[in-house]
Amino acid sequence: MARALTASFRQPPLGCVDMTADVPWSDGALCDLTLYLQPAGGERAVVDAAEEHVRRRLAGEDAPFLSRDEAVALAGPDPAARDAVVAALRGAGVEHVHPVGMRAVHVQGRWQQLAGLIDVARMRYRTADGVLVGRAGAISLGDPALDPVVGVFGLDNRRALSS
């Protein structure tokens, strides 16, 4: 059963013209995405540890900083979950899949390969800034192996902030 990513819903940009029907999508087109995974202990554990450290420092205590190994154990993904995400993507025929950083998996594949894994309404918009590639609605993940994924990045090229 597909799972919508929390807080992934996007509206079209204000004042845009939908051009999606004018230029059809090719499912053979290459896409370049980054999947971000939840920490092994959950987001709450990371926040709790950071709050405790700050509380102790503000109270004047000599709170030691985490070592790299402690930080990885606290904020890193479950290695088995990351391996399951990578295996699901490779099982769909995506050849370029590799973990990067602590909690990210880089994916480069064709839309037809990702069709059963990532469901998103791809859009093209004309705005005052030019033509944007974007999306509308929420991102849904169709494979239970992708349950550790909490974010999908690279689906659009609209500005996050305007000057």
Side-chain angles (χ1 to χ4, degrees), residues 1 16-17 26 33 46 52 62 68 85 96 98 134 140 143:
M1 178 171 194
C16 72
V17 175
S26 167
L33 305 175
V46 175
E52 175 63 16
D62 186 24
R68 176 165 171 69
V85 168
H96 182 84
H98 65 275
S140 292
D143 188 325

Side-chain angles (χ1 to χ4, degrees), residues 1-50:
M1 178 171 194
R3 172 183 64 94
L5 288 178
T6 305
S8 70
F9 188 86
R10 302 255 346 230
Q11 295 283 355
L14 291 174
C16 72
V17 175
D18 183 354
M19 299 177 50
T20 306
D22 299 338
V23 185
W25 292 100
S26 167
D27 284 341
L30 197 61
C31 62
D32 199 354
L33 305 175
T34 300
L35 308 182
Y36 196 64
L37 310 179
Q38 69 185 352
E43 299 285 344
R44 189 74 242 162
V46 175
V47 171
D48 289 346

Side-chain angles (χ1 to χ4, degrees), residues 120-145:
V120 63
R122 297 177 288 157
M123 308 289 287
R124 283 194 180 89
Y125 307 108
R126 178 171 300 286
T127 68
D129 292 333
V131 176
L132 303 176
V133 174
R135 61 183 182 82
I139 300 168
S140 292
L141 303 174
D143 188 325

Side-chain angles (χ1 to χ4, degrees), residues 56-104:
R56 290 180 63 193
R57 297 288 288 201
L58 289 174
E61 296 179 35
D62 186 24
F65 291 99
L66 296 175
S67 70
R68 176 165 171 69
D69 290 341
E70 290 170 326
V72 168
L74 179 66
D78 175 7
R82 182 180 51 216
D83 292 347
V85 168
V86 170
L89 292 161
R90 287 192 177 138
V94 180
E95 293 178 20
H96 182 84
V97 180
H98 65 275
V100 292
M102 193 181 298
R103 291 175 29 203

